[in-house]
Amino acid sequence: MGWRDRGVQVKTPEQVATMRRAGLVVGRTLEMVRDLARPGLTTGDLDAAAEAHIRQLGATPSFLGYHGFTGSLCVSVNEEVVHGMPGARVLAEGDVVSVDCGAIVDGWHGDAAVTFALGDVPDEATELMRVTEEAMWRGIAAARPGGRVTDISHAVETHVRSAGDYGILEDYTGHGIGTEMHQSPDVPNLGKPGRGPRLVAGLALAVEPMITLGSADVDVLDDDWTVVTHDGSLGAHFEHTFTLTPDGGTWVLTALDGGRQELEALGVTYGGG
Ligand code: MG
Ligand code: MG
């Protein structure tokens, strides 16, 4: 391991199995929230339901109390891209809602996010969500044993740029994950390939493109958390936690199917159980 690999936590298969349990809690909670979300509910309602669900599954919400964050979810609506503090905001027909969730099982973390629409939205909003989710999968698929972290970044950026004139947030990145939610290394959503720590079996990373319909300039609201587009354009955010397995495969720990369907469609060996 060279200097660039310092501080990267490599997990044993047993530790990864525990991260899978945390990942399934996150995946199931996001499904529950997506089914629950409807016009008239507040973002705080979604948050309360998620916290109860996470605890019912025997896990702990990782966002709650994180540097003073008061929710168990981030709920980011329309021009809010990420880190939306749940509260009194009432969901409305036509909203584009990003939900980010983290959970801890026996000290190990999972972290994932989805964006969905409430009712009918313009085609450009649907396209934004599709491109953002695809970019996440392309990024995960670019992670191969022996490669480098920014192979992921490059794949995300290449896909987004090929799809149209979108903004890619630069100051917010994916990250290593394990016994902490945010670990080394950062996983940027743009940049040249072949840089950063080497990708090895047992590494776990969260890949999370944050994409806008307008410019990539963002502001942080007075709550010190909610990140909004400066130009008021729509934002979307998808995230999964994945690992590379000792057999050379990829396992998406927060996807209910382990990512099998999406990975195989992209020609990647599925490494899950
Ligand atoms: Mg997250
Ligand atoms: Mg994350």
Side-chain angles (χ1 to χ4, degrees):
M1 305 268 275
W3 63 271
R4 284 171 297 192
D5 304 312
R6 264 185 229 152
V8 174
Q9 183 182 55
V10 175
K11 288 79 176 168
T12 66
E14 292 72 25
Q15 291 167 339
V16 168
T18 307
M19 288 187 70
R20 172 60 168 163
R21 289 167 55 208
L24 283 173
V25 171
V26 169
R28 287 175 182 145
T29 302
L30 287 173
E31 283 234 321
M32 183 279 293
V33 169
R34 188 181 185 137
D35 290 345
L36 175 69
R38 59 181 184 274
L41 291 182
T42 66
T43 57
D45 292 333
L46 301 186
D47 180 64
E51 181 181 354
H53 192 259
I54 291 166
R55 294 195 191 282
Q56 192 183 349
L57 293 174
T60 305
S62 45
F63 295 0
L64 192 60
Y66 182 86
H67 296 286
F69 195 81
T70 57
S72 296
L73 296 177
C74 298
V75 186
S76 309
V77 183
N78 296 337
E79 77 288 352
E80 300 170 355
V81 191
V82 287
H83 301 171
M85 182 72 85
R89 183 165 182 163
V90 179
L91 299 174
E93 179 80 13
D95 277 349
V96 170
V97 183
S98 163
V99 179
D100 194 341
C101 180
I104 310 167
V105 170
D106 292 343
W108 293 88
H109 288 250
D111 185 11
V114 294
T115 302
F116 53 85
L118 297 181
D120 291 333
V121 293
D123 287 348
E124 62 176 9
T126 305
E127 189 67 3
L128 170 70
M129 291 186 280
R130 189 179 68 77
V131 167
T132 306
E133 183 173 15
E134 282 178 356
M136 173 193 67
W137 285 109
R138 299 291 179 115
I140 293 169
R144 303 297 177 98
R148 298 276 184 183
V149 164
T150 67
D151 298 350
I152 299 166
S153 315
H154 185 69
V156 169
E157 178 179 16
T158 300
H159 186 72
V160 173
R161 303 278 188 232
S162 75
D165 189 18
Y166 295 99
I168 304 176
L169 269 62
E170 295 188 29
D171 293 341
Y172 299 86
T173 68
H175 48 91
I177 180 168
T179 51
E180 303 288 338
M181 179 164 58
H182 293 132
Q183 296 182 327
S184 180
D186 288 348
V187 184
N189 290 306
L190 70 181
K192 293 181 174 152
R195 299 182 178 182
R198 193 172 293 285
L199 300 171
V200 297
L203 189 73
L205 301 174
V207 176
E208 48 178 318
M210 293 153 257
I211 310 297
T212 77
L213 273 184
S215 105
D217 293 340
V218 290
D219 302 310
V220 179
L221 296 185
D222 287 342
D223 63 16
D224 286 336
W225 282 99
T226 309
V227 176
V228 299
T229 54
H230 186 70
D231 61 10
S233 64
L234 280 183
H237 175 219
F238 281 83
E239 176 179 23
H240 269 310
T241 297
F242 81 96
T243 188
L244 297 175
T245 55
D247 59 2
T250 300
W251 190 11
V252 181
L253 301 171
T254 46
L256 297 183
D257 76 341
R260 181 192 286 264
Q261 188 183 336
E262 298 281 354
L263 293 171
E264 290 181 350
L266 292 169
V268 177
T269 304
Y270 172 67

